Amino acid sequence: MKERLISFLLFLCALVSIASLAIITFFIFQAGLPLIFRVGLGNFLESSLWNPSGDPQSFGIAAMILGSIWVTLGAIVVGVPLGLAVAIFSAEIAPPRLAMLIRPVIQLLAGIPSVIYGFIGLTILAPAIRATFGGPGLSVLTAALILGIMILPSIISISEDALRAVPSAYRDGSLAVGATRWQTIWRVLVPAARSGIVASVILGMGRALGETMAVIMMLGNALQVPRSPLDSATTLTSNIGLELAYASGAHRDALFATGVVLFVLIMILNILANIFTGRVTFWQRLSAFRPAVFNGRAAWRRRNT
Amino acid sequence: MKRQHSQLVAFAGLWFAASLTIVILAIIIMYILAQGLPYVNLEFLTGRPLEQGREGGIFPTILGTLALGAVSLVLAVPLGVGAAVFLTEYTRPSPLTTIMRFGTDSLAGVPSIIFGLFGFIFFVTRLHMSWSLLAGGLTLALMVLPTIIRTTEEAIRAVPVAYREVSYGLGASRWQMVRTVVLPNALPGIITGIILSFGRAVGETAAVIFTAGTALNIPTSILSPTRTMAVHFYILAVEGISLQKAYATGAVLIISILAINVLANALITRSVSRAVRR
Amino acid sequence: MTPKIEIDQFSYRYGDEIALNTISLQVQPNTILAIFGPARGGKTTLLRSMNRLTEIGEPGTHSGRILLDGQDIFAPGTDIATLRRRVGMVFALPVALPMTIFDNVAYGPRMRGVRSRSQLQDLVQSALQSAALWDEVQDRLDTPAQALSGGQQQRISIARVLALEPEVILLDEPTAALDPISTAKIEEALMELKQQYTIVIAPHNVQQAGRIADDAAFFLMGECIEAGPASQIFTMPRDRRTEDYITGRFG
Ligand SMILES: Nc1ncnc2c1ncn2[C@@H]1O[C@H](COP(=O)(O)OP(=O)(O)O)[C@@H](O)[C@H]1O
Ligand SMILES: [Mg+2]
């Protein structure tokens, strides 16, 4: 009896945990979709006129979408090579002690609040960029550089796991036929870890796309389509973050509609990442579902090794 | 020889990347501490802010941060640990658990501004909680839930199967087994997850600012609005109220995050060395 | 004499892999039955089936019956916890739970709901005595059990089962990970225990089976090739394959 009650309570915990995703989705869509229907999805996405309190009102988020794309791609350009290099370093060539040092470094990078990153961009990087290249300083370049650092933890940890998961037979086989360590890494290990690395990049994109406060602090928040990396811009997130506090009526609805677009983009990235990391675990389990055999063998292997 | 040469260049690049990452982290921490620590003193930590924070201290925001972190954990920990126990000990892999995992994984990827939007429309507006500790805490709880579920699941998986068999073999029921074997042995890992979640609550801004508000008073009830350190720091910096106070607040923020991470790491190494000794 | 345990046409399969194929066997009370044979013969599966430990983690399917005192242990409504208290299991690898020696041995009774400290103390003491461990640990019952040696930990495992006051004890290669001296101690303890309990053991090797068993059954690839009194099986086996295995001619 008590057993039954407890397992029911635990089931409820699990249910609430996933239901929360559904509830979040529902309320964001409920608040944002009506406006998208009213304005028309095409208009909403393609117009770069954003004047939610003007007369006539206009709700076009094209400038923000482009801003988000610029900033996200910029962050990827900065973060992926650096992150992948660090991942390879700590998985393959770092002396064990150094590899042990890198873990907490990554963890700290992930733990530093995004407002601190934004502040660094605002007070160190933006003035430096203004002085070196001209322009307003608060720019796509500034945001991309800092966001590139902010996404390092996702990229490093997931890529590193993927690299470490490559069976050591691959490594040994390659070395045995006379390849150098670097050739082994680049031609054998990295390709073998490809899906995990791609997933890390996708998740990094998600982080960059979703970052809000740091971007507000670094990007200049100019409602324009950036023409060069030195221009100010605005993104889907920063626009929501800046205007939500005082928006009302259709304006507020438009911010939720922006949230819907952001949410859909993020979910697409999530699903893509899941396809890449969890090819075996997720999709196979769901499609070719064979619980008894799968579970039994796994448990049996664990027992006998 | 050309092969050796390109290996040399490549390895030099990798060393450089790793050093660069460490240096970047060091610069961020050093810079904020160097600029901010000189202004941090007991008065700053225990004083009330004056003139929007241009003068005075940050005491209410420290309290606000602790309170908000506590509220969110009180809600998220039982829920998350319960969910993780259910997923690992009470189910066999099934379409349901697969969907549940996908749900929690996706929740982990949802950006904090979306949580902010949701908390704002649902807790603040729809449920009439207004800007409050409760609304902020609920929002944050949802946000840290995936962290707690995942760290707990991992900690539970690390408990040897043999312990479970012994326990069941001695006539324990499922819950007795979980209570006496799984949970005690997974505890260090679970606590690590809780500490890391607290760290997220401390550093979060976007989800908090629209749900807990920005009021600079000392929170007196679960329905008081409140301002956390991170939000305070953001407002000081963005609204140009006081760069000096911003640095000082940033320094306190960084030190808190450092402390939280050191604590979490100490626990991880302890549980690892325990696992090795056994 | 009515058998303590009667295995009746019992089969077990993991997915489509047949681990046990229509086994029929009887175990008389207060005897030691040795189930022996090469690895993957189904010994572990049979032992784990006898207190339904097969049901955790690895959902295979079974057919046939296993009767304990004439009652089918798979009958609907059977309380699994009670069954596992009546039929205790000792695993191949010594596993001390990460708690004190006392708490390890008191674990089973506590799960059954025994709260009284003095009652627990009595149970722990007599269990440790029967497992021939009391003298070695009586003055450090409050120290972590995992600090003990492998042989001691395996005797802890036995004591833990004895504290349940079971009727049947199952042992799955209990000395596989132990040195000869610890092995001898455990074998000695088993010889004592059969006065009170019915014992089914998958021995570590044929010699061990020969030393302690009253009855023996030879298992090969999920089949019970032959079963009978140990004296007969080990001196004049009826089946060619049993003989090959006993004399070490087995591939
Ligand atoms: N959990 C399991 N999942 C799948 N197959 C298993 C499992 N456990 C045992 N088997 C299979 O069942 C057969 C009998 O194994 P087992 O009972 O362990 O034999 P023994 O103890 O005699 O070595 C073997 O073929 C083995 O591969
Ligand atoms: Mg076996």
Side-chain angles (χ1 to χ4, degrees), chain B residues 92 162-163 165-172 176 180-181 185 278, chain C residues 48 55-56 59 81 84-85 91 95 97-98 107 111 146 160 164:
Chain B
R92 300 206 163 120
Y163 292 180
E165 299 198 326
V166 165
S167 173
Y168 279 133
L170 293 171
Q176 282 179 323
T180 56
V181 170
N185 284 288
R278 73 170 54 123
Chain C
R48 292 168 68 85
E55 286 167 25
I56 62 177
R84 289 181 183 154
R85 284 177 194 126
F91 300 93
V95 180
L97 295 174
Y107 188 91
M111 296 300 108
Q146 293 189 335
R160 219 165 31 197
L164 294 170

Side-chain angles (χ1 to χ4, degrees), chain B residues 249-263:
Chain B
T249 312
V252 178
L253 209 50
I254 286 270
I255 288 178
S256 323
I257 294 293
L258 279 175
I260 286 168
N261 275 277
V262 168
L263 201 63

Side-chain angles (χ1 to χ4, degrees), chain B residues 41-50 55-62:
Chain B
N41 50 31
L42 199 62
E43 237 180 284
F44 181 73
L45 293 176
T46 58
R48 300 248 188 152
L50 306 168
E55 296 295 329
I58 56 167
F59 187 60
T61 70
I62 295 179

